Amino acid sequence: MLTRLEDESEGAETGRQAPAQVIRFTFDGRPLTGRHGDSLAAALLASGVLRFRVSPVSGAPRGPFCLMGVCFECLVEIDGVGNLQACMVPLEEGMAVRTQGGGVRVVAGAAGTSEAS
Amino acid sequence: MSGGIVSKDVVVVGGGLVGAAVAYGLVRQGLSVVMLDEGDVAYRASRGNFGLVWVQSKGDGLFDYARWTRSSADLWPGFAEELRGAVGLDVGYRKPGGLHLCHSEAELEEVDLRLKRLHNQAGPEGYQARLLDRGELDALVPGLGPEVVGGAYSPHDGHVSPLYLLRALHEAFLARGGRYAGESRARSVASDGAGFLVETDAGRFRGERLVLGAGLGNRPLGALVGLEVPVSPLKGQILVTERADRFLELPTIYVRQTEEGTVMLGDSHEDVGYDTFSKPSVMSEIAQRALRSFPVLRQLKVVRAWGALRVMTPDGFPIYEESESHPGAYAVNCHSGVTLAAAHALRLAPLIGDGGFARTLAAFSSRRFDADASRG
Amino acid sequence: MRCDLAVIGAGPAGLAAATRAAEAGLAVELFDEQPAPGGQIYRAVESVPAARRALLGPDYAAGAELAAAFRASGAGYRPGALVWNVDSTLDIDFSQGGRSRQCRARALVVATGALERPTPLPGWTLPGVTTAGALQILLKAHGCVPSEGAILAGSGPLLLLLADQLTRAGAPPRAVVETVPRGRLLEAARHLPAALGAPGYLAKGLRMIRALRRAGVPLHRHATDLVIEGREQAEALSFTAGGRRHRIESGLVALHQGVVPNQQVTRLLRCAHRWSDSQRCFLPVLDPWFESSVEKVFVAGDGAGIGGAASAALRGRLAALGVLRRFGALDGAALEQEAGGLRRRLVRDGAVRPLLEALYAPSAQVLAPADETLVCRCEEVTAGQIRQAVRLGCPGPNQAKSFLRCGMGPCQGRMCGLAVTEIIAAERGEVPQTVDYYRIRPPLKPLPLIELASFEAAEDQPGDAPPDAPPDDRDAA
């Protein structure tokens, strides 16, 4: 659904490393790639991923809306930390990203239970 | 509004948890009631409440308060069901028991002494809160931090969504024919021979009886009808986090997980008058204490912090007072409007207009402060 | 950590304010969440490749000068810094690199710009539905364009600009669906004479429309009853135009109904705001030097009222002059001359605004969404639920928030606040000024507990005695 413009040869003019550096990451275990300078959200969208999370209220699928850190729809889990705005996080090599499902995972496994009365 | 006066059996001043619970209890008795409330922005202790329905540790120094609190907690399950049936709203009341976690031996000892005092005062009726050691706590609540040395547990403790409770009370009140007047801040109250007249920003209201449930506002209003209500503000701050997967069923005194999965963190006490701003240093202390109890929450994010003003009496116990000079005017004040909501609706409200009010609730009369003063 | 002037936001207003103040010798700290200067309008302006910069147009390129001047000014720059709290004593609490600290300032310029007006429509929460601004960010900062033609729907100059930029990038929209009602241009025509004072602007607009026509981009006008269709993601947009129902398929639908000031910081500070009927939003109340009702807090840029990038830079400079004037560092003839020049340019740049505001006022559909439409996206509260809460006595957005949870999600009311105010006002038969807005509390964005726990505050300073009687303006929970 997104394609990249072919203009990476201009990198030298702006002082950036040229050509564009490919960055590898995973999303729900799937290997994907992005480019140096991508936000995680842009890299996911450019890889064809539209659904980033499910709403904790209804389970409805949600994806990025504003891409400027206002809407909080692009929340994903990155390297075990939940509810991070993908549009505000620069893509880094080896990131393990997961769909944000419902609440943030605090304790894997059994929660505190009440004493049987 | 036209020059007309709205006239009812009872005028309740205040649409917070206290006013709404009493108002609901009154319409439940078949009385005609108007509940007066302020607008969208007001002090509203009810919007700042933590949501505990808490019995343990209450009443140290006045055992009648421990009994009164316990009676409310006993009524709560049926009360929650009644509200659900009336308006189809689950207020999220759960009673899995509650914990006071202690982070030092000194704190544990202080809690232990208090429990012993309460136990002694309870006498034969017993007092069911008990001390637990670290091992027993781990069986109840996984994930406790290393500083937690022990705690107190009571099977009578629980929690609820204070905001859903307020909404349910308002809806149940309306469903039974109660009249709600919002943006009607009471400016003055006066007796008019056969009842009471209340002047508000949005018109005049008359009732045979008058119940002041206006929190801090009860002090100036009460003075107009012979009620001495020495309440003052005590600020508390609360933090609430984003939703987490369920990790905690039992409410604790400083950390509880709501039905939605968010985690509420408290509390603090600041004597700063009418300031409700959130102070980062206090927010930080609350966060530190929460992490001492539950280090697993480190990466959980705080979404909102707020400050609200508790309505504090000099000894922290409620004021329930019928005016001697103006019989039929009542003041109802407490800082535990959630815990006591059931008792306010089901036990206190029926006493309004009943000769038994002063007798039944004598322990909570504000005359106890005169007695203290003269003894002092 | 201390400074003379703290500036929040590195868009044109913030850059201009910081630069002017630093040039006058003040110790300035500029805080911005993004890793590079430019805000949203000049996003990635320092790093954008030349070819991409060319297709974005000359207005965008002007941002590079602002950024360069800022870099050279000696102002302190804190990129990647999230300001999560400010109080009236101008202690600024911020998070940078996973650590929270406090900066004590003597004055503050709030330059946090604008955000898109909420556009509650059926299906607007489906993946694949974005704002027009989001597609612009993908283009500017990442060189990404839709591969199969996005649908652009709504109204406003940004919509046309985006359509033009995408077309020039070789990714023309599948359709532009404009919601300006029929007859609106006639109504707005009284502002035309004033707008002719900014001839370049109007000519630019006409050029863009012609270019779209040449590229064969369908332009549907006066569209109503928009519905975004799809089950798991956006699949199509249907709407009524020209007397019949249309359905256009696309997996990408970009919405836009203009931008509005970002109120989070000014509301947090409890600045006074007023409702603007012409801009259909709340504006902070400001004096001629852009100082708010809170001492030494200035607001510059779109946050002071929507005016665009050029106006933002002018206002930023004026706000800096206001700060210098407050400090007694600049006065008399020099001040008046510099300020006068800026004010004249501001008037000229603003000449087109009344026409744009009248022409592109938000559509009736987003101002009064149908009952089943989600208004609070985070907590999934519908317009109908809000109306019902009002019928039960809810006097305003804060009571509605406590009854319905609308505004309690992670976006903290940014996406729903204005819509909730409009819906409550309509249901109560009141004006938005009376209904007002959500109470905003810290942290301005969600903050990890561990960071809050290890926060370093500046030492407490003796302040004023706390108020011991309720103030008349009734602070609240």
Side-chain angles (χ1 to χ4, degrees), chain B residues 260-302:
Chain B
E260 293 85 30
T262 61
V263 184
M264 293 190 59
L265 311 168
D267 69 348
S268 69
H269 302 82
E270 297 161 77
D271 193 356
V272 289
Y274 284 81
D275 165 311
T276 60
F277 279 93
S278 301
K279 263 180 66 177
S281 53
V282 175
M283 290 163 63
S284 181
E285 281 164 21
I286 295 172
Q288 286 166 32
R289 184 167 48 207
L291 289 180
R292 280 206 290 276
S293 295
F294 297 101
V296 287
L297 301 180
R298 296 169 59 84
Q299 290 298 340
L300 198 61
K301 291 184 280 297
V302 174

Side-chain angles (χ1 to χ4, degrees), chain C residues 21-396:
Chain C
E23 284 169 356
L26 292 188
V28 180
E29 287 289 338
L30 173 67
F31 299 88
D32 188 65
E33 262 193 285
Q34 294 291 330
Q40 298 309 324
I41 192 93
Y42 296 136
R43 184 128 170 195
V45 73
E46 285 183 333
S47 59
V48 67
R52 205 190 301 162
R53 190 168 54 221
L55 72 87
L56 289 170
D59 289 346
Y60 172 75
E65 283 171 41
L66 271 178
F70 168 71
R71 294 275 193 193
S73 70
Y77 177 40
R78 296 197 167 263
L82 166 68
V83 172
W84 54 265
N85 186 42
V86 193
D87 66 23
S88 55
T89 63
L90 304 188
D91 286 338
I92 289 142
D93 304 312
F94 68 100
S95 165
Q96 194 179 26
R99 209 180 126 219
S100 269
R101 272 173 300 163
Q102 192 174 76
C103 172
R104 182 153 288 173
R106 292 173 54 215
L108 171 67
V109 171
V110 180
T112 51
L115 34 82
E116 299 228 10
R117 177 184 298 280
T119 52
L121 291 170
W124 76 307
T125 55
L126 286 169
V129 181
T130 70
T131 59
L135 290 192
Q136 262 210 331
I137 287 168
L138 282 170
L139 172 58
K140 279 176 191 168
H142 307 291
C144 284
V145 293
S147 48
E148 285 159 27
I151 301 172
L152 273 47
S155 79
L158 183 64
L159 204 67
L160 282 179
L161 175 65
L162 175 64
D164 184 56
Q165 289 169 332
L166 288 175
T167 303
R168 296 209 274 153
R174 180 150 300 167
V176 175
V177 177
E178 222 197 23
T179 56
V180 175
R182 200 177 290 282
R184 178 66 74 69
L185 185 51
L186 224 53
E187 288 166 30
R190 60 195 166 98
H191 299 295
L192 208 45
L196 293 175
Y201 198 102
L202 293 179
K204 209 170 16 184
L206 290 169
R207 248 196 332 266
M208 285 195 283
I209 294 175
R210 274 205 304 273
L212 287 175
R213 288 221 169 92
R214 269 200 308 272
V217 175
L219 175 58
H220 299 268
R221 306 198 106 124
H222 318 305
T224 58
D225 296 304
L226 274 61
V227 176
I228 298 149
E229 299 177 5
R231 255 180 22 91
E232 295 297 303
Q233 58 191 64
E235 289 164 17
L237 177 73
S238 61
F239 57 94
T240 303
R244 66 175 185 90
R245 196 86 186 137
H246 300 255
R247 184 175 186 275
I248 304 178
E249 289 186 355
S250 178
L252 260 187
V253 179
L255 307 174
H256 186 72
Q257 291 283 340
V259 295
V260 292
N262 181 344
Q263 302 181 67
Q264 301 299 104
V265 177
T266 50
R267 289 281 181 181
L268 177 65
L269 282 162
R270 305 199 187 176
C271 299
H273 290 75
R274 63 171 182 88
W275 178 259
S276 161
D277 271 328
S278 58
Q279 292 189 33
R280 200 94 200 197
C281 61
F282 288 102
L283 304 178
V285 174
L286 302 172
D287 76 3
W289 298 97
F290 296 97
E291 190 169 1
S292 73
S293 62
V294 176
E295 259 194 57
K296 310 242 187 59
V297 172
F298 296 75
V299 185
D302 272 358
I306 302 306
S311 280
L314 295 168
R315 286 177 187 169
R317 270 187 85 92
L318 276 165
L321 294 180
V323 172
L324 292 167
R325 176 176 168 269
R326 264 316 220 121
F327 287 169
L330 194 58
D331 60 9
L335 175 67
E336 289 310 322
Q337 191 181 38
E338 189 179 346
L342 292 167
R343 291 189 199 283
R344 277 190 295 278
R345 286 163 66 189
L346 206 49
V347 166
R348 274 201 307 275
D349 193 62
V352 76
R353 283 288 138 190
L355 175 68
L356 292 179
E357 287 163 15
L359 188 57
Y360 294 126
S363 75
Q365 192 183 8
V366 302
L367 290 180
D371 278 348
E372 320 77 50
T373 307
L374 287 180
V375 172
C376 169
R377 297 172 60 117
C378 296
E379 296 293 323
E380 303 203 26
V381 182
T382 65
Q385 285 173 295
I386 296 165
R387 291 180 181 116
Q388 199 208 11
V390 171
R391 287 193 288 273
L392 289 169
C394 244

Side-chain angles (χ1 to χ4, degrees), chain A residues 7-20, chain C residues 47-50:
Chain A
D7 60 3
E8 301 314 310
S9 57
E10 313 307 319
E13 185 193 338
T14 61
R16 288 171 62 202
Q17 295 280 331
Chain C
S47 59
V48 67

Side-chain angles (χ1 to χ4, degrees), chain A residues 110-116, chain B residues 96 99 101 130 132-145 148-151 153 247-250 294:
Chain A
T113 54
S114 64
E115 190 184 24
Chain B
L99 289 170
L101 300 175
R130 66 181 193 281
L132 302 179
D133 64 28
R134 175 61 199 246
E136 293 169 293
L137 280 179
D138 282 329
L140 281 180
V141 180
L144 288 173
V148 177
V149 298
Y153 169 81
F247 78 97
L248 182 63
E249 292 289 351
L250 271 76
F294 297 101

Side-chain angles (χ1 to χ4, degrees), chain B residues 4-27:
Chain B
I5 300 178
V6 173
S7 201
K8 299 284 179 187
D9 293 329
V10 189
V11 175
V12 175
V13 180
L17 283 167
V18 170
V22 173
Y24 171 67
L26 291 169
V27 291

